[in-house]
Amino acid sequence: MVNGKKNNYFVIGQERWDYAAIKYRRHRIAERLASLPETNQVYWIAPYQTTWKKALNFHRNIIIRKLDNGIIQLELPEYKGMIGQAGILPIRKLMQRFFAAETNNCVWYTYPAFWKIADPARDKIVYDCSDLWGSSNWSADEGASPWKKNAYLKLIRLAEQRIAQRSEHLFATSETLGAHLSALAGKPVEVIENGVGLEGYSGPGRSVEEAAAVPEPRLVFSGGIKKKIDLKLVRETAECFSSASIVMIGPISDERAKDLEELRALKNVYFLGEKPSEAIPDYLHYMDVGLMPYKDIDYNKAVSPLKLFEYLAAGLGTVGHGVPTTERHQERGIYSHAQSYEAFFEQVGAMLEQSKNPELIEQRKQLAAQNGWTEKIDRLVATVHNH
């Protein structure tokens, strides 16, 4: 994109910019693009669910909001995947006023929606895939019947295939996703794992009374409490380590009453709620072992967990389950990926015993330092920006 023109970037997100306190990969990409001197404007494209009537009056129901960081959020009306995934409207034509002729335009997909926004003849198209979107019903309507859920997931798969085949650059966060995308597009995919924002982890951290009040030792899970998290494994860990505290940091986006009730009933489980990204290092400095208790399901087999390098950056020995993409980072006293509940408990015990080992703490931090967000995002952006 080097022809004397400024660049407009349209980053297709899954939700509104501030839908969660966590700063995801897509947010970091958008902010990095906005910082480039050659950038004219970055637009954050976010779907919002509305009525069929409003969705059909698409151009009249686009909500425009300028964010504090200078990025312009365009909230696009959506109705059960029919506008975004099925592409039943000529969205590019309806949004033409945002695609200036005097700029280069790049449509950067981080979620397979609104595939009709991009024009392969005029735009640079990028797809950065971080989830196996069409493999589960996380995104489908909870109250929908099975056939409606399957129909919705099929729309996602078709939209993803169109986007992948049109893209000039394809990125993925794991080898599993890379193989998935390559099969869809018939093109090579560059795999760049998720990383960690190293800022906040270098010092002792700010004092957090809420974390300090939890009895030691502390086993922590930090992240969204969603369906992909194995709450049964968390409960059994709490029961197995009854003299330790299980600290849950993050929003509860999945109201599984029975599982949560059983967890809340345990005296050694502490729910601290959602915290802003910049506060997470302060909380982790009080912890002893990091937990990644994922369900053993297809969706998770493609996940590159954000929390792995966050735990390691805080010097925590970490144990995972259900996320085989992390196996290549295994090292005794640093990180262990367990294949069973029993192995998970065994490794948690081993990490607890070595939690205060200064040499291991330093090695954990060094592994995290090799996976900082700055280098990873710069690599993504440079690949696209320089070609």
Side-chain angles (χ1 to χ4, degrees):
M1 299 177 75
V2 211
N3 56 8
K5 293 183 178 182
K6 288 275 191 174
N7 304 321
N8 280 347
Y9 292 94
F10 298 81
V11 180
I12 314 296
Q14 185 185 7
E15 299 273 2
R16 295 175 175 89
W17 179 271
D18 55 0
Y19 78 99
I22 299 172
K23 183 182 283 190
Y24 288 101
R25 177 183 177 114
R26 58 182 70 97
H27 294 89
R28 295 175 184 277
I29 288 171
E31 288 182 334
R32 183 70 183 95
L33 292 171
S35 74
L36 299 175
E38 299 87 352
T39 296
N40 177 60
Q41 183 62 60
V42 173
Y43 295 92
W44 179 267
I45 311 294
Y48 73 92
Q49 293 299 317
T50 187
T51 63
W52 177 243
K53 185 176 180 180
K54 285 188 176 180
L56 283 180
N57 286 292
F58 185 87
H59 64 292
R60 295 180 181 177
N61 291 289
I62 298 174
I63 300 172
I64 305 173
R65 180 161 66 98
K66 189 163 187 176
L67 306 177
D68 292 340
N69 55 17
I71 293 170
I72 295 177
Q73 179 168 271
L74 302 179
E75 298 177 34
L76 306 188
E78 172 63 290
Y79 182 79
K80 299 185 183 301
M82 298 307 294
I83 308 303
Q85 274 86 19
I88 64 172
L89 295 179
I91 294 180
R92 175 57 174 250
K93 185 177 180 180
L94 295 171
M95 294 184 64
Q96 194 58 50
R97 69 185 188 273
F98 300 107
F99 290 84
E102 62 273 14
T103 60
N104 300 308
N105 296 308
C106 175
V107 182
W108 194 307
Y109 288 91
T110 68
Y111 177 67
F114 304 121
W115 61 273
K116 277 197 171 182
I117 284 180
D119 182 348
R122 290 182 284 180
D123 305 331
K124 181 184 286 287
I125 304 174
V126 180
Y127 183 24
D128 180 33
C129 182
S130 59
D131 285 280
L132 205 54
W133 297 108
S135 72
S136 67
N137 64 357
W138 304 151
S139 304
D141 239 345
E142 283 304 310
S145 62
W147 74 266
K148 284 186 178 179
K149 290 180 180 179
N150 289 334
Y152 180 72
L153 292 172
K154 187 174 182 180
L155 285 180
I156 291 178
R157 295 184 195 110
L158 290 172
E160 184 172 47
Q161 184 172 34
R162 291 187 177 101
I163 291 165
Q165 290 175 345
R166 291 169 158 214
S167 294
E168 182 177 338
H169 298 283
L170 290 167
F171 302 103
T173 57
S174 70
E175 295 291 345
T176 301
L177 286 176
H180 164 71
L181 270 195
S182 185
L184 284 180
K187 292 183 276 191
V189 177
E190 185 173 359
V191 176
I192 300 177
E193 282 186 308
N194 284 327
V196 59
L198 295 170
E199 57 278 5
Y201 289 98
S202 56
R206 293 168 293 186
S207 175
V208 182
E209 291 183 9
E210 183 181 32
V214 176
E216 297 184 80
R218 307 176 184 111
L219 314 178
V220 64
F221 170 80
S222 172
I225 302 171
K226 305 177 181 179
K227 286 184 178 178
K228 63 183 180 180
I229 303 305
D230 192 340
L231 295 184
K232 180 184 176 185
L233 177 54
V234 177
R235 175 174 57 78
E236 292 194 14
T237 302
E239 292 170 344
C240 182
F241 296 90
S242 57
S243 61
S245 297
I246 309 297
V247 183
M248 307 290 285
I249 302 173
I252 300 173
S253 55
D254 169 31
E255 294 293 342
R256 286 171 285 170
K258 184 175 182 293
D259 290 328
L260 285 171
E261 282 176 13
E262 290 177 345
L263 265 182
R264 291 185 187 281
L266 297 176
K267 293 182 179 180
N268 63 329
V269 177
Y270 298 80
F271 285 85
L272 303 188
E274 184 175 18
K275 309 299 175 188
S277 292
E278 60 272 16
I280 295 300
D282 300 322
Y283 280 81
L284 293 184
H285 281 305
Y286 285 88
M287 305 302 153
D288 296 290
V289 175
L291 305 178
M292 298 200 304
Y294 286 78
K295 287 182 177 178
D296 188 11
I297 54 176
D298 286 344
Y299 179 87
N300 286 337
K301 290 175 183 176
V303 166
S304 173
L306 293 169
K307 56 189 64 62
L308 171 58
F309 297 122
E310 291 177 351
Y311 292 156
L312 295 176
L316 305 183
T318 302
V319 184
H321 176 274
V323 276
T325 58
T326 63
E327 288 180 345
R328 72 188 194 88
H329 295 296
Q330 288 193 103
E331 190 173 344
R332 187 181 296 275
I334 311 297
Y335 173 64
S336 177
H337 183 263
Q339 303 294 334
S340 66
Y341 279 22
E342 292 72 20
F344 188 85
F345 305 146
E346 180 182 340
Q347 290 304 315
V348 168
M351 291 297 181
L352 260 178
E353 290 179 3
Q354 305 171 88
S355 62
K356 305 300 184 184
N357 184 310
E359 292 183 4
L360 289 175
I361 290 173
E362 184 57 31
Q363 289 175 38
R364 295 162 191 159
K365 291 182 176 182
Q366 286 177 5
L367 179 55
Q370 296 167 17
N371 289 275
W373 269 128
T374 300
E375 293 75 18
K376 290 174 185 275
I377 298 301
D378 282 352
R379 183 174 154 195
L380 280 162
V381 171
T383 300
V384 173
H385 185 67
N386 296 331
H387 294 85

